[in-house]
Amino acid sequence: DIQMTQSPSSLSASVGDRVTITCQASQDISSSLNWYQHKPGKVPRLLIRDASKLESGVPSRFVGSGSGTTFTFTITSLQPEDIATYYCQQYDNHPRFIFGPGTKVDLK
Amino acid sequence: DVHLVESGGGLVKPGGSLRLSCVASGFTFSSYSMNWVRQAPGKGLEWIAYISSSGRYIYYADSVEGRFTISRDHATNSLFLEMNSLRADDTALYYCARGRLVTLQDAWGQGTLVTVSS
């Protein structure tokens, strides 16, 4: 089975900071990766699909990149409403899905 | 607006059974695949089951294969998860989620809590 890792597991940043999260797959998954945002008490929200395609209605400060085994998720200018846990999700073996362990983003 | 409302969660003893339901509205239910995703307390998201729009294709995570059964009823726009042989590590908030393009989930319910404890 393909394993997913995310780093860091948590981070603290200030409003306006650039925040970067890395997701690593244990084998080549091409661009078969989505990114979700999950705020406490809310439902998960799809932000980016196919590694880099911004979902409709999602602010452009959220950027995804990468292919193969290494993927990056960036918030170009952190806003207070971005406090959440972010998960990568691989679908190389779709329709089976594997989520990464998540990265919790806090305000410094 | 897309709405997904789960129900059926509760407290159950280890080895017991439970049936979760999810009623969909605001979209053509029969045209979309559906999924169940869970989140154990303090843990991350775990995809556990998928059913195609027709109900013909069904897949499970290894953690629930053989114990859980996903199904759907287009007459009532409902998704189900029959859970048997429940274990303590099945304790989680269970979300139903609409599938799109077979490769993602684009709408989620609020979840229903399942607690497995003696």
Side-chain angles (χ1 to χ4, degrees), chain B residues 88-110:
Chain B
D89 62 359
D90 293 318
T91 294
L93 185 63
Y94 284 73
Y95 296 101
C96 72
R98 188 179 76 170
R100 199 179 90 217
L101 304 173
V102 198
T103 56
L104 55 85
Q105 294 83 41
D106 69 350
W108 300 63
Q110 291 292 327

Side-chain angles (χ1 to χ4, degrees), chain A residues 13-99:
Chain A
S14 300
V15 173
D17 281 355
R18 184 182 186 90
V19 168
T20 299
I21 298 168
T22 299
C23 180
Q24 199 116 21
S26 57
Q27 61 191 68
D28 190 337
I29 59 168
S30 185
S31 297
S32 304
L33 191 97
N34 303 319
W35 288 96
Y36 292 83
Q37 176 192 63
H38 193 192
K39 297 181 180 180
K42 303 291 186 182
V43 302
R45 177 192 183 193
L46 174 69
L47 299 180
I48 289 169
R49 62 178 175 89
D50 304 336
S52 61
K53 297 174 183 176
L54 198 66
E55 187 70 355
S56 176
V58 174
S60 59
R61 65 180 180 274
F62 296 104
V63 178
S65 65
S67 67
T69 61
T70 303
F71 301 85
T72 300
F73 173 81
T74 301
I75 307 172
T76 57
S77 177
L78 185 70
Q79 300 303 303
E81 61 267 30
D82 300 337
I83 299 315
T85 299
Y86 293 86
Y87 295 91
C88 60
Q89 178 200 51
Q90 71 90 358
Y91 58 84
D92 187 65
N93 191 26
H94 67 83
R96 290 186 174 88
F97 302 86
I98 302 290
F99 286 95

Side-chain angles (χ1 to χ4, degrees), chain B residues 66-113:
Chain B
R67 300 187 300 122
F68 289 12
T69 302
I70 188 172
S71 62
R72 63 191 299 163
D73 180 355
H74 292 165
T76 59
N77 287 348
S78 297
L79 176 73
F80 304 102
L81 186 68
E82 188 77 38
M83 304 187 296
N84 297 316
S85 304
L86 283 162
R87 312 184 300 225
D89 62 359
D90 293 318
T91 294
L93 185 63
Y94 284 73
Y95 296 101
C96 72
R98 188 179 76 170
R100 199 179 90 217
L101 304 173
V102 198
T103 56
L104 55 85
Q105 294 83 41
D106 69 350
W108 300 63
Q110 291 292 327
T112 186
L113 182 63

